[in-house]
Amino acid sequence: MYSEERKKIVLDYIQKYGKASVQELTEVLQVSEATVRRDLKDLEDAKLLKRTHGGALSLQNVNFEPTIGEKKVTHLKEKHAIAKKAVELIDEGETILLDAGTTTFELAKELKSFAKLTVVTNAINISHELLSHPGIEVLVVGGMLRKETLAMVGPVAEQSLGMIRVDKLFLAINGLDLEAGLTTPNLIEAATKRKMIKIAKQVFLLADHSKVGKVSQAKVADIVEVNQVILDNAVAEDTLNQLKTMGITVHLVHP
Amino acid sequence: MYSEERKKIVLDYIQKYGKASVQELTEVLQVSEATVRRDLKDLEDAKLLKRTHGGALSLQNVNFEPTIGEKKVTHLKEKHAIAKKAVELIDEGETILLDAGTTTFELAKELKSFAKLTVVTNAINISHELLSHPGIEVLVVGGMLRKETLAMVGPVAEQSLGMIRVDKLFLAINGLDLEAGLTTPNLIEAATKRKMIKIAKQVFLLADHSKVGKVSQAKVADIVEVNQVILDNAVAEDTLNQLKTMGITVHLVHP
DNA sequence: TCATATATAATCAAAAATAATCATATTAAA
DNA sequence: TTTAATATGATTATTTTTGATTATATATGA
């Protein structure tokens, strides 16, 4: 067996199990530990896996999940610009609904300047942030608290939302795909988002370019249910045109 | 398990709960404290979390904390003792309702030890605090957010409460008077408290001695609607006896 | 403020894994 | 076939990882 064949087997193994110990690989490949280590070193140099003491991990397993905290760090500029643009679309005295999400959280921080505004939100961090904005009345949507997204969701949330009508909804989303529509990883959260869309006169979608083309498990709605969308300028021209064709007003920000 | 895997688990844990103690992590990871601390140090160096005495916080959580203009809490010692006593009265697996208030906030902080508990609350700060308690499912009552008390109140709160039944309510109060009953300064908040009493099998009143004999504008309920009361020992003997005569179980704490 | 309880850092020892070295085997090319 | 180049495995030295121990630092309440 040639070394290239061996390396392919190593990669397949790690792809399958997520990780592999040097011991395991000596048995699978029937070679010495020294050889396994030499193979792993080559593969790491080629950026195909991550070595650890005792073996190796697939890159997927070390590339930490795109979590709230990190997303916020990585696309903060885009989100900030999107939030600033969103603020321009809000009028004094309106009632707005802010979905849970990092972009909407940025938006909440930008609301200080309003003298009179009613904000409805299902996000615990947004509720907390708005405590310090004197001119803003805050209506919190209740519900089961999801620790992953800080969103309140479920039947209680939906019933509370049913009691309200809002002028503008600012919706956050995980996946925005022209065919699959708006999607998010959690079914219950998706249902809550759907309810939000129902009670809003106008729906504004906030999405940075990393969301475009992404599809998650749970569908929230078709894109046509959105009235306006705010994106950053790293989105393909073609996508923008298709959105416009659907009758959606597209705002482009330049972070 | 390789160190890289461990670190990923630590990050996921902190992402989920906002924070983690060294103790918790030794159990989750099944390694020594020294190893946990070394992992935390590496992760802090990589700017993926913030270490504290006793554990670590997510970076998100660090930014989340400050803003709230907290008024000075009086009688903290009494409240702390009352909260500790209240915890003893809660059983694993129950559903409890925590009213907004400084004493109930102290109580929330003491709930770490429970492996399974459902907490319903109308307080924004309690909701936030409970994010970091892994075993606790949190159901937030929605409503208008009162910046004075951090309570969610009003029609939305009452309708949400109407969907729920709880085993035990821990009620905070401004005035506890034998004749005037339970009173609080805000009418709407009083109505919300009344609704809370309705949906609870058992009502526990938490009050330090400064509340006794006080009467506020809005009446919440008569004292007899309370099943048990926890007071500190600076309350007049006579008052205690009268409460007992009413059939109320009185717990006395010694701060 | 001080005392006490915790938590942390520093140090060390043991175990395990790795790198370095060298001898041997295999392959490719002349 | 011979020779050079490369790959492999065994051996040994070094490094890494971990947990235990002790000293230091930090919080918390009296």
Side-chain angles (χ1 to χ4, degrees):
Chain A
M1 177 176 331
Y2 300 113
S3 74
E4 291 303 319
E5 291 179 78
R6 258 195 344 253
K7 285 176 191 171
K8 170 122 178 48
I9 290 171
V10 171
L11 278 181
D12 288 346
Y13 189 98
I14 284 186
Q15 182 67 39
K16 188 170 176 186
Y17 298 107
K19 63 176 178 177
S21 71
V22 172
Q23 277 298 330
E24 274 164 42
L25 293 174
T26 58
E27 289 180 23
V28 170
L29 304 171
Q30 289 294 308
V31 292
S32 70
E33 293 192 1
T35 301
V36 168
R37 291 200 180 94
R38 276 186 275 247
D39 286 351
L40 291 179
K41 184 175 186 313
D42 291 347
L43 289 168
E44 181 171 47
D45 289 347
K47 304 219 189 300
L48 295 170
L49 51 72
K50 168 80 181 161
R51 285 190 76 186
T52 66
H53 224 75
L57 299 171
S58 80
L59 288 178
Q60 264 182 326
N61 267 352
V62 286
N63 265 351
F64 302 118
E65 290 274 313
T67 56
I68 290 180
E70 287 167 61
K71 253 197 295 191
K72 193 176 161 189
V73 172
T74 47
H75 297 293
L76 188 58
K77 246 179 224 151
E78 286 86 345
K79 287 175 178 179
H80 198 70
I82 290 168
K84 284 218 158 190
K85 180 71 197 174
V87 170
E88 293 173 21
L89 302 173
I90 300 170
D91 296 316
E92 195 77 34
E94 282 186 322
T95 297
I96 65 169
L97 172 52
L98 295 187
D99 184 20
T102 48
T103 313
T104 45
F105 182 55
E106 289 301 312
L107 171 49
K109 289 198 233 166
E110 297 287 332
L111 294 176
K112 268 246 160 76
S113 54
F114 286 86
K116 185 176 181 323
L117 200 65
T118 302
V119 177
V120 185
T121 183
N122 73 324
I124 195 87
N125 54 346
I126 290 175
S127 307
H128 185 266
E129 168 67 24
L130 293 176
L131 283 171
S132 58
H133 297 220
I136 297 180
E137 195 157 2
V138 183
L139 178 67
V140 184
V141 174
M144 292 304 314
L145 189 51
R146 291 201 71 223
K147 296 177 180 183
E148 295 81 359
T149 58
L150 306 179
M152 292 166 249
V153 301
V156 171
E158 283 163 49
Q159 174 150 1
S160 298
L161 286 166
M163 297 176 73
I164 305 160
R165 291 296 176 276
V166 300
D167 297 313
K168 290 168 183 171
L169 160 63
F170 292 90
L171 190 69
I173 201 72
N174 274 75
L176 164 60
D177 185 82
L178 289 169
E179 284 176 20
L182 313 179
T183 54
T184 196
N186 184 273
L187 271 169
I188 300 171
E189 204 157 336
T192 303
K193 283 177 197 286
R194 258 199 304 282
K195 183 76 185 181
M196 288 186 183
I197 292 173
K198 275 214 188 95
I199 66 160
K201 291 183 195 155
Q202 278 191 289
V203 178
F204 294 75
L205 187 70
L206 311 182
D208 63 76
H209 64 270
S210 72
K211 312 290 172 57
V212 177
K214 248 196 182 169
V215 180
S216 283
Q217 286 90 327
K219 176 157 178 178
V220 174
D222 286 314
I223 292 186
V224 290
E225 300 201 42
V226 172
N227 301 108
Q228 304 195 23
V229 59
I230 310 177
L231 297 161
D232 64 83
N233 60 349
V235 176
E237 190 75 33
D238 190 44
T239 309
L240 299 176
N241 286 332
Q242 284 201 255
L243 286 169
K244 285 174 192 167
T245 310
M246 289 172 168
I248 295 167
T249 305
V250 177
H251 302 269
L252 221 55
V253 299
H254 307 264
Chain B
M1 175 168 343
Y2 303 127
S3 71
E4 292 294 327
E5 289 181 273
R6 259 194 344 253
K7 286 176 192 170
K8 179 163 160 45
I9 289 171
V10 170
L11 274 183
D12 287 347
Y13 190 98
I14 284 188
Q15 180 67 41
K16 191 168 180 187
Y17 300 117
K19 63 183 176 185
S21 72
V22 172
Q23 276 299 329
E24 274 165 43
L25 293 174
T26 58
E27 289 182 22
V28 171
L29 304 171
Q30 290 292 307
V31 293
S32 69
E33 294 191 1
T35 300
V36 167
R37 292 201 180 93
R38 277 186 276 247
D39 286 351
L40 292 179
K41 183 177 186 310
D42 290 348
L43 290 168
E44 182 172 48
D45 289 347
K47 305 227 187 295
L48 294 170
L49 52 73
K50 169 77 182 161
R51 285 189 76 186
T52 65
H53 226 75
L57 298 172
S58 82
L59 292 177
Q60 213 187 346
N61 241 18
V62 175
N63 300 331
F64 190 72
E65 280 295 349
T67 48
I68 216 162
E70 301 219 342
K71 55 182 177 185
K72 199 181 158 198
V73 179
T74 57
H75 302 102
L76 188 57
K77 238 173 242 159
E78 286 84 349
K79 287 173 179 174
H80 196 70
I82 290 168
K84 285 218 160 187
K85 180 69 198 176
V87 170
E88 294 173 19
L89 303 172
I90 301 170
D91 295 317
E92 194 79 32
E94 283 188 321
T95 297
I96 65 170
L97 172 52
L98 296 186
D99 184 21
T102 47
T103 313
T104 45
F105 183 55
E106 290 301 312
L107 171 50
K109 289 197 235 169
E110 298 286 334
L111 293 177
K112 256 258 155 75
S113 53
F114 286 87
K116 185 176 179 319
L117 202 63
T118 302
V119 177
V120 184
T121 183
N122 73 325
I124 195 87
N125 55 344
I126 291 176
S127 307
H128 177 240
E129 169 66 24
L130 293 177
L131 282 172
S132 58
H133 297 221
I136 297 182
E137 195 157 3
V138 183
L139 178 66
V140 184
V141 174
M144 292 304 313
L145 189 52
R146 292 202 70 224
K147 296 180 181 182
E148 296 81 2
T149 58
L150 307 180
M152 292 166 251
V153 300
V156 171
E158 285 163 48
Q159 174 150 1
S160 298
L161 286 166
M163 298 176 72
I164 305 161
R165 290 296 175 276
V166 300
D167 297 314
K168 290 167 183 170
L169 160 63
F170 292 89
L171 191 68
I173 201 70
N174 275 76
L176 164 60
D177 184 82
L178 289 169
E179 283 175 22
L182 313 178
T183 54
T184 195
N186 184 274
L187 270 169
I188 301 170
E189 202 156 337
T192 303
K193 283 179 197 287
R194 257 199 305 281
K195 183 75 186 183
M196 287 187 182
I197 292 173
K198 275 213 188 95
I199 66 160
K201 292 184 196 154
Q202 280 190 287
V203 178
F204 294 74
L205 187 70
L206 312 181
D208 63 76
H209 64 271
S210 72
K211 311 291 172 59
V212 178
K214 248 195 184 173
V215 180
S216 282
Q217 286 88 331
K219 176 158 178 178
V220 174
D222 287 315
I223 291 186
V224 290
E225 299 201 44
V226 172
N227 301 108
Q228 303 194 25
V229 59
I230 309 177
L231 296 161
D232 64 84
N233 58 352
V235 176
E237 190 74 31
D238 189 45
T239 309
L240 299 176
N241 287 332
Q242 285 202 253
L243 285 169
K244 284 174 193 167
T245 310
M246 289 173 168
I248 296 167
T249 306
V250 177
H251 301 270
L252 220 56
V253 299
H254 307 265

